[in-house]
Amino acid sequence: MTFMRTVLLAAVPLALAQVDPPGPPFPNSTYPNATDPLTDSGAMWNETSPPSYPSPWGTGLGDWADAYKSARAFVSQLTLTEKVNLTTGVGWEGEKCVGNNGAIPRLGFKALCMQDSPLGVRDTDFVSAFPAGVTIAATWDRALFYQRGFDMGSEHRDKGVDVQLGPVVGPLGRTPEGGRNWEGFAPDPVLSGIAVAQTVKGIQAAGVMACTKHYIGYEQEHFRQGAPPTSVTESISSNIDDVTMHELYLWPFADAVRAGTASIMCSYNQINNSYACQNSYTQNQLLKNELGFQGFIMSDWSGQHSGVSSALAGMDMTMPGDIGFDSGTSFWGANLTIAVLNGTVPQWRLDDMAVRIVAGWYYVDREANQVANAPTFSSWTLDTYNYQHFYASEDWTQVNYHVDVRDEHAADIRNFAAKGTVLLKNNGALPLSGNAKLTAVFGSDAAENQYGPNGCSDRGCDNGTLAMGWGSGTDNFPYLVTPLEAIKAEVLSHGKSIEDVIDDYAYAQQNALARRVTDVGGVCIVFANADSGEGYIIVDDNEGDRNNLTLWHNGDDLIRNVTSFCNNTIVVMHTVGPVLVDSFYDNENVTAIIWAGLPGQESGNSITDILYGKVNPGGKSVFTWGASRGEYGADVIYEPNNGVLAPQEDFAEGVFIDYRAFDKLGETPIYEFGFGLSYTTFSYSNLQIAAHAAPAYTPTTGDTPSAPTYGVVSNNTADYLFPADITRIPAYIYPYLNSTSLSASSGDPLYAINYTFPAGAYDGSPQPLLAAGSSVAPGGNQALYDVLFTVTATVTNTGSVEGDEVPQLYLNLGGPNDPKVVLRNFDRITIAPGASETFTADITRRDVSNWDTVAQDWIISSYTKTAYVGSSSRKLLLSAKLDLSGVSTSPSGPSSTTYSSSSSSAAGYSSSSSSAAGSSISSSSAAGSSSSAAGSSSSAAGSSSSAAGSSSSSTPTVTSSYGHSAHSGYGPPSYSSTSA
Ligand code: BGC
C-alpha cells in the first residue's frame, strides 16, 4: 500500500456519486496496476497512480559517462551531511538566488544558484529580456531556438547562475486560457519537443544547467497549490491516461531528456491523485526508468509534500528547502540525515541524488564556467549593499555587482521576435512604404507603461505594451522599445506625419484621428493585447489563467471604433495565446492583422521591421484561433469540483487538444495551427518519400546493475551534530542534528509511528529494464529514433521578394483513435524570388508509433499511414501513403484499444479533392528506395480571405483494409475491432 492510498480511499464515496464528464471518447487506457474498479477507464475522477519502486539509480548512460565518473569520485569523498547539503535548499531568501542549496566548503564546492526564468535572468539588472517561449516557437526555426537558449544561458553564466529554471514544456497548452502557456512553446508535442531540445542544448552549451519544467500535467493555475479558494486543501489532480501521457504530455520531456537536460522540475499539481514531486509512477517509472533521465529532479518551490516518500519516489533536490517559505522547517535537511540514519531512506538513494546533482554540474562543465563573486546579484534587492542572508537580515555586504551581461544580444532579440511574428491577414496593405501622408497609432499596447517597463512587480499588470506575461517566468527589461517610438522614428525618417491616441477609451479622439486618416490618405495601426501569468498574482481579476479569450482593455471596442472611420486599419496583437477575432477579422476596413506575440525588449523595432518590410514575415501560428471559446474542447476548472478535496481535472479529451480537437470536432478555425502569411507566395510540388532499412525494433531487455553506494556512512549520530564553529542563521535550513537522539532531533511528535513505506523502494538489487527504456542512452528505447522515411518536397517562391516558408510534415496514423493529422516535422527555409528549395524531413519510428498500454511499449499499427506536406495544419497540399512493408507492424494496432463502434473517435475523412491524397508510393522495403508521389504543385499562398483554411483540400483519404470504410465527415466510423 502506497503513501497516497489513504487519499484515494477517502475519496471513493464521492467518486460513486460522480457522473462521467461529458466529452468526446478517448483511449480506454488506464495505467496497469491502477486497479481501482471505479477508475479503470483512465483519465477519470479519482484515477490512481500506480506505484513504481525502487527509484532508478543513474548509471551514466550515453554521453553522461564522463560526468558520472567525475561525480562518483567526488561524491565518494562526502560525508552524510555534505550529501544532504547538495539535496536541500537553505530556505527562501536564505541566500541570493531564488533557490540555493548548501555548499561543501571543505572541498571548495560552491552552493548552486538556481535562478528563473525561461526568458532571461530574473530579479536582477543589466540583463536582456528575450522573447517568450510562445514567440520563439512561432519562428519554427531550430537555429533560432538554439541561439536564444545559448544567449540566455550565457547571461545566466555571466551572472554566476548554475541552473537556469527553464525551458518550459509543462504547461503544454491543454487549454488556451492556461496562465503560463506562453512560458512554453506550443500545444503540440513535436514543436515543443524540438524547441525544448534545442533550447536545452543552447543553454547547456553556454555552461549552465537547464531545468526543464514543470513535470507534468501542470496545465492550469487555479488550484495548483490548493487555494484559491482557501477551502480547497489539496492541489488539483490532472487525471491522465497512459496513451495521452505518452503520446502528448511526456513527449517533449522525452526530447528534453534526450537533449541532456541536467535537471527537471516536478510540478505543483497531482497526477492521478498523487503529487508530482512524490509520484513514483511519473518520476521513477516514466522519467528515470523509461526515459533514462540521468540528471536530477528538483521540486517546484514548496511543491514537496513529504520527506521519505518524495525521496523514495525519485525527487532529488528540494527547493527552496523549507516547508513553508521561511518556516525554518524542512522535509529534508536534518530530516533527510535522520532518514538515512534510521534506514527509511537507503544510503544508495541519497547517494544517487548527490551523484545526479554533481553529474549535471560536470555534464555542462560548470567547473570551467565560474565567474568572480558568483552569484553576482541578489534576487531580493537591486541595491549594491544589503544582507547576504536577506530573510534573516544578517551579514551586510556587497550583494550586487551590476555586471552587464547583455553582450550583443539585442540584435538577436530583435531578429527572434521579428521572425516569430505571424501575419494573419493582408489584403495588400502591408508592407508599408513609410510614405503614408498620415500614420495614426492607437491603443495603450503601443506605448509605455506609466510606471516604467519594470514598474509592476514580476510584470503583474497590463499597462502599456505587452512584451512578456507575468509571474516567475519574467525578468527585468534593460529597456523596452515601444511600438509607438519605433514607428514614429520610421515615419519621421521619411519626413511624414504621425499622431497617436493611446488611451483605449478616448473614443472621441480616436474617431477624430481615424476620420482624418481616411480623409487625407494614410494608415491606422491599432495595438491591442491579452495577458496572463502565474497564479500568485491576480491581474484584472484573472488569477493567472485568463477568464476569457477576448482582447483586454476592450480591444474589440477600440478596433470597432477605429475601423468605423478608418478604411485602412492594421491590427497588431501582443497576446499570450489565441484571442477571439471574430468581431473584426473579416471587416473590410481591417486590411491586415498581425500576431506579434510576446517579443521582449526590442518589441517596437521587431514589429517595425515587419510593418515596413525590412523583414518579410515567416512566422506561423503555434496555436489555433477559434471562432469561440467552446471550440477548444478542454477548459480550465475555475471552481472547486470535489468539495474541499483536490479538484479533479479529467483529461478526457485525450490527445485531442488545439488543432487535433478542431479537426476531431469538425470545427473550422479562423486561423489554424501552422498558418501564417508572407509578403511573397509559395507553391509546393514533387513530394517524394524514401524508405530506409532500419533494424527491427527490439524491446530492451536485461537488468540494471545493483544500486551503488559511495563512501561509508557512520552510524554514530554524534558525528552529525550541529558544528560548534557555525553560527546559526535564523530560518536557515541545515543538514545537522540537534541531538544524538534521532527522535529528539526530528522534533516530530509522530516520529517512528508505525508507517509502512513501499517494500520495493528499498530493493537495491539489479532491476529489469523496461522494453521502452534503454541501456544505451537517455530518451528511451533508441530504436524509436531510427529514421524510417525521409520526405522531400519542392517549395517554390512564386512571388517577387525573398521570403521564408515553413513547410510542415503531418502524419495520419490511420487508427480509429488517431487524430486526423499530427505534426511530425518542419523546417524554415529562405527562398529567393522565383527559386525553389527542397524541404527535407525525416520520419522516425517514434513518429509512426502509438503507445500500447498492454505491451507497455511503442508499436507501429498496421493501419494505413499517410504523410502530408503543407503550409499549415489545414493546408495539407501534398500527400502520399507510407509504405510500411519494410517495417514490422502490430497487426491490429495497440492491443489496449478496445473500441465499440458507438464510442470510438472519428477516423473517417472525406475523400474529396486533395491532389495527392491516396497516391501510394511504390518504394519497397529496400534501403533508400524512393519514388515520387503524385503530388501536383499547388499554391500555399494564403490570402486573407482564405485564412480560415481550405479544409476540403486538406482532408486525407483513408482506404483501409482494416474493416472501416472511407466515409465523409467526422461521424463515427464503421470499425470492427476483429477485422484486422
Ligand atoms: C514557479 C517556478 C519557479 C519557482 C521559483 C514557482 O512558483 O512555479 O516556475 O521556477 O517558483 O521562482
Side-chain angles (χ1 to χ4, degrees):
M1 176 152 290
T2 67
F3 44 83
M4 56 147 298
R5 205 64 180 168
T6 6
V7 176
L8 172 74
L9 294 177
V12 164
L14 279 165
L16 286 171
Q18 189 60 33
V19 178
D20 286 354
F26 60 97
N28 177 6
S29 62
T30 189
Y31 293 80
N33 305 322
T35 48
D36 190 307
L38 289 169
T39 62
D40 64 3
S41 51
M44 284 295 167
W45 196 275
N46 286 330
E47 178 65 83
T48 61
S49 192
S52 178
Y53 298 98
S55 185
W57 36 93
T59 52
L61 285 184
D63 65 358
W64 284 77
D66 288 346
Y68 263 68
K69 202 169 156 212
S70 304
R72 285 167 175 153
F74 181 80
V75 171
S76 298
Q77 308 169 63
L78 303 185
T79 65
L80 172 57
T81 47
E82 285 170 338
K83 290 172 186 169
V84 169
N85 245 2
L86 286 172
T87 68
T88 303
V90 299
W92 180 245
E93 297 175 332
E95 295 284 351
K96 297 200 298 181
C97 299
V98 298
N100 316 265
N101 66 354
I104 305 175
R106 184 176 66 88
L107 297 173
F109 192 85
K110 293 168 76 170
L112 301 182
C113 164
M114 338 287 160
Q115 192 70 11
D116 295 306
S117 76
L119 59 63
V121 191
R122 183 183 176 208
D123 288 334
T124 184
D125 49 13
F126 305 107
V127 293
S128 302
F130 289 85
V134 71
T135 284
I136 200 71
T139 68
W140 299 66
D141 188 321
R142 285 169 169 79
L144 299 187
F145 298 160
Y146 178 91
Q147 189 63 44
R148 172 174 167 275
F150 185 77
D151 290 354
M152 294 192 302
S154 301
E155 297 200 7
H156 279 88
R157 176 196 63 216
D158 293 346
K159 283 282 186 186
V161 172
D162 295 280
V163 183
Q164 177 179 353
L165 301 175
V168 170
V169 285
L172 186 65
R174 173 178 179 257
T175 64
E177 304 90 356
R180 300 183 74 178
N181 293 355
W182 57 271
E183 290 188 44
F185 301 106
D188 178 86
V190 169
L191 178 52
S192 283
I194 291 171
V196 77
Q198 294 302 318
T199 308
V200 163
K201 285 181 187 162
I203 291 170
Q204 298 196 160
V208 166
M209 291 181 260
C211 181
T212 303
K213 64 189 189 180
H214 307 82
Y215 185 74
I216 190 171
Y218 172 45
E219 295 292 328
Q220 67 168 62
E221 294 304 290
H222 283 75
F223 316 116
R224 69 176 190 161
Q225 291 168 293
T230 44
S231 57
V232 174
T233 54
E234 302 288 349
S235 299
I236 194 165
S237 175
S238 297
N239 301 326
I240 309 178
D241 70 88
D242 197 13
V243 166
T244 302
M245 179 62 92
H246 279 87
E247 296 185 8
L248 191 61
Y249 295 101
L250 188 63
W251 185 293
F253 282 101
D255 289 313
V257 169
R258 190 155 177 257
T261 187
S263 66
I264 286 185
M265 187 186 291
C266 51
S267 53
Y268 284 130
N269 55 291
Q270 305 189 64
I271 303 101
N272 298 341
N273 292 288
S274 174
Y275 275 101
C277 294
Q278 62 188 44
N279 188 314
S280 66
Y281 197 80
T282 54
Q283 296 188 135
N284 288 344
Q285 171 95 3
L286 296 179
L287 190 55
K288 290 187 169 175
N289 200 347
E290 188 178 316
L291 297 184
F293 174 52
Q294 300 294 303
F296 59 97
I297 301 179
M298 176 197 302
S299 75
D300 199 344
W301 270 233
S302 305
Q304 187 186 25
H305 291 264
S306 61
V308 172
S309 298
S310 60
L312 301 180
M315 205 184 94
D316 303 300
M317 181 188 280
T318 174
M319 280 292 140
D322 38 18
I323 294 178
F325 284 1
D326 302 317
S327 61
T329 57
S330 180
F331 287 118
W332 285 3
N335 279 320
L336 187 52
T337 306
I338 292 168
V340 172
L341 288 171
N342 71 18
T344 48
V345 171
Q347 186 198 333
W348 58 257
R349 180 72 269 271
L350 174 66
D351 286 359
D352 180 55
M353 296 175 191
V355 166
R356 286 170 176 276
I357 293 163
V358 178
W361 191 86
Y362 280 114
Y363 184 74
V364 304
D365 202 2
R366 286 297 302 141
E367 197 164 18
N369 288 287
Q370 299 291 319
V371 299
N373 303 310
T376 63
F377 63 94
S378 169
S379 304
W380 324 117
T381 175
L382 295 175
D383 294 347
T384 304
Y385 287 87
N386 208 298
Y387 295 107
Q388 174 77 22
H389 310 296
F390 187 80
Y391 175 73
S393 300
E394 285 201 1
D395 206 353
W396 185 265
T397 185
Q398 181 170 356
V399 291
N400 279 307
Y401 292 82
H402 310 290
V403 183
D404 192 327
V405 296
R406 292 174 298 155
D407 206 352
E408 305 292 312
H409 298 157
D412 283 351
I413 291 169
R414 179 175 183 160
N415 183 45
F416 297 152
K419 294 268 174 67
T421 298
V422 184
L423 179 61
L424 294 168
K425 173 179 179 178
N426 184 18
N427 70 359
L430 293 176
L432 298 171
S433 67
N435 292 317
K437 188 152 193 187
L438 176 58
T439 300
V441 175
F442 299 90
S444 62
D445 183 63
E448 302 262 358
N449 176 350
Q450 68 271 36
Y451 306 125
N454 302 314
C456 304
S457 179
D458 291 340
R459 314 296 82 79
C461 64
D462 186 36
N463 300 344
T465 195
L466 184 69
M468 61 179 75
W470 75 76
S472 67
T474 58
D475 74 350
N476 289 332
F477 291 102
Y479 57 81
L480 174 52
V481 179
T482 67
L484 179 56
E485 65 187 292
I487 293 169
K488 189 176 284 181
E490 179 68 30
V491 169
L492 298 187
S493 75
H494 293 268
K496 299 297 177 185
S497 180
I498 178 167
E499 294 185 37
D500 61 85
V501 180
I502 60 169
D503 184 328
D504 297 309
Y505 305 95
Y507 297 132
Q509 289 81 354
Q510 291 160 11
N511 289 346
L513 182 56
R515 288 175 77 116
R516 284 180 45 227
V517 169
T518 302
D519 193 24
V520 302
V523 59
C524 299
I525 312 175
V526 179
F527 284 82
N529 69 34
D531 203 356
S532 74
E534 194 171 343
Y536 68 90
I537 298 174
I538 299 175
V539 178
D540 201 11
D541 224 19
N542 294 265
E543 295 173 8
D545 306 311
R546 282 190 283 169
N547 288 333
N548 53 52
L549 295 182
T550 54
L551 287 167
W552 287 33
H553 304 291
N554 291 6
D556 283 335
D557 288 347
L558 169 65
I559 293 166
R560 189 176 303 116
N561 207 31
V562 172
T563 52
S564 60
F565 292 97
C566 182
N567 60 6
N568 183 18
T569 304
I570 294 163
V571 176
V572 180
M573 297 178 290
H574 292 112
T575 71
V576 290
V579 292
L580 300 180
V581 297
D582 52 307
S583 74
F584 61 85
Y585 82 98
D586 57 355
N587 179 332
E588 62 180 17
N589 285 346
V590 173
T591 50
I593 302 177
I594 293 174
W595 180 75
L598 299 174
Q601 69 189 41
E602 290 282 325
S603 175
N605 289 330
S606 302
I607 192 62
T608 303
D609 287 347
I610 293 289
L611 289 169
Y612 292 88
K614 293 168 196 164
V615 173
N616 188 350
K620 301 273 188 174
S621 184
V622 296
F623 44 75
T624 300
W625 300 71
S628 78
R629 174 186 190 154
E631 292 178 353
Y632 291 84
D635 205 343
V636 165
I637 292 175
Y638 294 93
E639 297 296 331
N641 63 3
N642 198 13
V644 297
L645 299 176
Q648 299 291 304
E649 185 171 19
D650 297 336
F651 286 33
E653 71 287 341
V655 298
F656 296 92
I657 64 171
D658 199 73
Y659 66 91
R660 298 153 172 226
F662 280 75
D663 285 346
K664 181 177 182 188
L665 300 170
E667 307 283 3
T668 302
I670 292 177
Y671 304 115
E672 72 272 19
F673 176 87
F675 174 76
L677 300 170
S678 164
Y679 296 151
T680 187
T681 50
F682 301 97
S683 71
Y684 285 60
S685 61
N686 192 27
L687 176 65
Q688 304 210 17
I689 302 181
H692 303 294
Y697 183 80
T698 314
T700 297
T701 54
D703 288 339
T704 68
S706 55
T709 53
Y710 302 101
V712 176
V713 171
S714 148
N715 281 329
N716 182 1
T717 53
D719 290 348
Y720 308 112
L721 287 175
F722 205 99
D725 57 348
I726 293 185
T727 310
R728 261 185 209 270
I729 301 159
Y732 210 81
I733 304 301
Y734 297 94
Y736 307 115
L737 308 182
N738 293 326
S739 151
T740 52
S741 152
L742 297 182
S743 163
S745 193
S746 80
D748 183 350
L750 297 178
Y751 185 83
I753 59 161
N754 191 8
Y755 192 83
T756 309
F757 292 104
Y762 299 90
D763 183 359
S765 67
Q767 299 294 312
L769 295 166
L770 297 178
S774 172
S775 59
V776 180
N781 193 312
Q782 296 301 292
L784 291 169
Y785 304 101
D786 288 345
V787 175
L788 302 189
F789 302 93
T790 298
V791 175
T792 56
T794 303
V795 184
T796 303
N797 183 340
T798 50
S800 55
V801 292
E802 182 180 277
D804 287 3
E805 174 62 331
V806 181
Q808 299 155 45
L809 169 72
Y810 293 85
L811 293 183
N812 170 256
L813 297 183
N817 258 339
D818 290 319
K820 178 189 148 196
V821 288
V822 287
L823 179 74
R824 284 300 187 249
N825 217 327
F826 56 85
D827 198 8
R828 181 168 177 141
I829 308 174
T830 302
I831 312 178
S836 296
E837 298 287 342
T838 302
F839 165 61
T840 305
D842 288 337
I843 298 176
T844 65
R845 189 186 307 273
R846 180 174 68 152
D847 290 335
V848 292
S849 296
N850 290 97
W851 181 252
D852 185 313
T853 67
V854 173
Q856 282 296 292
D857 204 354
W858 296 93
I859 56 104
I860 302 176
S861 75
S862 52
Y863 298 117
T864 304
K865 306 200 187 315
T866 311
Y868 300 85
V869 170
S871 61
S872 82
S873 61
R874 291 199 164 214
K875 296 199 172 54
L876 304 166
L877 303 163
L878 309 173
S879 69
K881 291 192 176 132
L882 296 181
D883 179 358
L884 294 173
S885 58
V887 178
S888 86
T889 55
S890 175
S892 54
S895 46
S896 56
T897 44
T898 50
Y899 312 110
S900 71
S901 57
S902 62
S903 70
S904 76
S905 63
Y909 305 105
S910 154
S911 59
S912 63
S913 67
S914 176
S915 60
S919 59
S920 175
I921 63 166
S922 59
S923 63
S924 68
S925 59
S929 68
S930 75
S931 68
S932 173
S936 64
S937 165
S938 55
S939 172
S943 66
S944 57
S945 60
S946 67
S950 52
S951 57
S952 66
S953 68
S954 64
T955 45
T957 303
V958 173
T959 46
S960 166
S961 56
Y962 302 105
H964 57 279
S965 53
H967 56 278
S968 341
Y970 290 83
S974 51
Y975 173 71
S976 154
S977 60
T978 56
S979 66

